[in-house]
Amino acid sequence: MSTGEGNEGNTSSASAQEVPEELLSVSKTLAEALDQDSGRRKAIPIRKSFVRAEKGTENPPPLAELVKRGGRGGGVIVKMYLALVWRCSGGDFDTDISARVWARLLALEDPNFKGARRISKAIKTLEDCRLVSVSPRRGEPSLITLLDESGDETPYALPSTAYTSKKLRRDIYFKVPTTLWTEGFIQRMSAPALTMLLILLAEQSGEASPGETDGKEVWWSTERFPQQYSVSPSMRSRGTKDLRDMGLLYVERSSVASPGNKRTFARERVRNVYRLQNQALVFVDEKPLTNKAAPKKVASKKRPQTLQQRLSTWMKAQKETKPMS
């Protein structure tokens, strides 16, 4: 039983945040550079403990805490965290890319000053929530090192490798498709939309095969959702609508049969069923890295040059192709 409304969204919907085309173009160029640097990994691995609270836990999961602390700017903090995991989860788990480059990746306005300050503030929040550690360096960008997604200050380990070796529940993870960055979706997402995207990706990823997302249908009870995710009904509703308008989510109303109820004319119960689609699906089958197959470490001071050089080359090419006035 379809809702009949809201499932025919498009990527230019007003529900997506407005981002100037010039900023978005630079951002997508950087995202493509990051994607190429990541090799065969075409999705960002995130432990489910970042998104949902385990039974018996009173504290909200890190995702809900970041959105709460950030207020209207909570989306920038979450995007910054995803970008850090994307950049750092390749083997050495740290980076010293400047705040200005991060601001351009997130398509923030005035990336050299105001945007860079927003990035610095986001990194400080991530440090306060024990998701990263920051080592200041005189005359150079600070060195940022990933910590475990749960926020318990455990050193970071790639979840696929950790789960393969120990089979611990804490290492069950899901994947965020990098196409959402390279095609400009995440840059334009509101905090509610990004929050709901991560929750749905986590729920669609199976427990038996961590990380695999098959686009299965998801639903929740009204009691279970706030308990696990600490997300308000208004944020859930707004985020769901935004994702539908961007063409990333399909929602329908489905009948729920009452257990043991055989009456033909019994009152029908229905629930919302959610299914991610299009660029929000993960199709790549990735094998976990082992110590033998792990990439060689590269000095962190050299890694930012790849993104910066590509950005500079792109900006120079853009200037050369502009017609003379």
Side-chain angles (χ1 to χ4, degrees):
M1 182 186 301
S2 173
T3 56
E5 297 180 2
N7 285 313
E8 293 79 23
N10 58 73
T11 57
S12 61
S13 168
S15 292
Q17 292 182 333
E18 296 294 331
V19 177
E21 183 58 35
E22 184 176 355
L23 293 177
L24 187 60
S25 182
V26 172
S27 171
K28 290 162 68 174
T29 297
L30 283 173
E32 289 169 0
L34 264 180
D35 205 33
Q36 292 173 12
D37 289 347
S38 299
R40 65 186 303 272
R41 179 182 290 115
K42 298 302 178 183
I44 305 167
I46 302 289
R47 284 176 172 83
K48 292 191 178 185
S49 56
F50 176 71
V51 170
R52 72 184 187 192
E54 293 295 333
K55 291 182 179 179
T57 303
E58 296 182 359
N59 296 328
L63 173 60
E65 182 65 20
L66 293 181
V67 174
K68 177 182 177 182
R69 291 194 183 205
R72 295 185 64 181
V76 172
I77 303 173
V78 179
K79 291 172 188 178
M80 185 64 216
Y81 181 67
L82 291 179
L84 283 170
V85 176
W86 188 11
R87 177 61 176 174
C88 299
S89 61
D92 41 10
F93 313 143
D94 59 43
T95 184
D96 59 358
I97 293 176
S98 71
R100 294 188 297 276
V101 175
W102 289 123
R104 289 188 173 92
L105 176 66
L106 269 62
L108 300 182
E109 293 186 4
D110 190 12
N112 289 331
F113 298 100
K114 183 179 178 180
R117 287 196 296 269
R118 294 182 71 185
I119 292 297
S120 297
K121 185 176 180 180
I123 293 173
K124 181 63 170 62
T125 301
L126 293 174
E127 183 182 26
D128 291 343
C129 291
R130 300 177 298 182
L131 293 168
V132 301
S133 64
V134 181
S135 302
R137 299 185 299 180
R138 180 176 297 180
E140 296 183 59
S142 297
L143 184 68
I144 304 170
T145 304
L146 286 182
L147 297 175
D148 189 90
E149 292 96 324
S150 64
D152 64 0
E153 295 187 286
T154 302
Y156 184 84
L158 193 65
S160 57
T161 304
Y163 187 83
T164 299
S165 61
K166 298 181 180 179
K167 296 293 190 297
L168 297 179
R169 182 175 177 80
R170 67 173 290 138
D171 294 318
I172 293 176
Y173 67 102
F174 63 97
K175 299 173 183 176
V176 181
T178 58
T179 51
L180 291 172
W181 281 100
T182 58
E183 297 188 24
F185 284 90
I186 285 182
Q187 294 91 320
R188 298 181 296 114
M189 280 188 190
S190 63
L194 185 55
T195 299
M196 286 306 301
L197 172 72
L198 295 178
I199 290 174
L200 286 162
L201 284 169
E203 284 297 324
Q204 287 195 347
S205 178
E207 299 287 331
S209 300
E212 296 306 315
T213 303
D214 57 9
K216 68 180 181 180
E217 296 179 341
V218 173
W219 62 86
W220 298 277
S221 68
T222 54
E223 297 82 10
R224 173 172 167 252
F225 188 83
Q227 291 174 357
Q228 281 195 309
Y229 303 105
S230 299
V231 171
S232 68
S234 61
M235 176 169 283
R236 172 180 171 179
S237 177
R238 166 69 190 281
T240 298
K241 180 182 184 302
D242 287 359
L243 291 176
R244 288 165 68 176
D245 290 343
M246 296 179 81
L248 299 176
L249 177 66
Y250 188 86
V251 184
E252 63 182 358
R253 300 281 283 175
S254 178
S255 299
V256 181
S258 301
N261 191 341
K262 299 181 180 180
R263 291 183 298 166
T264 304
F265 296 101
R267 182 179 179 182
E268 184 181 37
R269 297 171 58 220
V270 295
R271 64 187 172 199
N272 283 334
V273 176
Y274 305 86
R275 186 173 68 251
L276 291 172
Q277 59 185 8
N278 300 327
Q279 289 88 345
L281 294 177
V282 178
F283 295 107
V284 179
D285 180 22
E286 300 174 12
K287 296 180 180 179
L289 289 175
T290 61
N291 290 336
K292 183 177 180 180
K296 295 181 180 180
K297 278 195 173 185
V298 180
S300 59
K301 65 180 181 180
K302 294 182 180 179
R303 288 188 288 133
Q305 295 179 3
T306 303
L307 292 179
Q308 189 65 60
Q309 287 177 350
R310 293 185 189 184
L311 176 62
S312 298
T313 300
W314 182 89
M315 295 180 73
K316 181 179 179 180
Q318 288 296 106
K319 290 181 180 179
E320 291 177 350
T321 57
K322 286 184 177 180
M324 298 291 291
S325 58

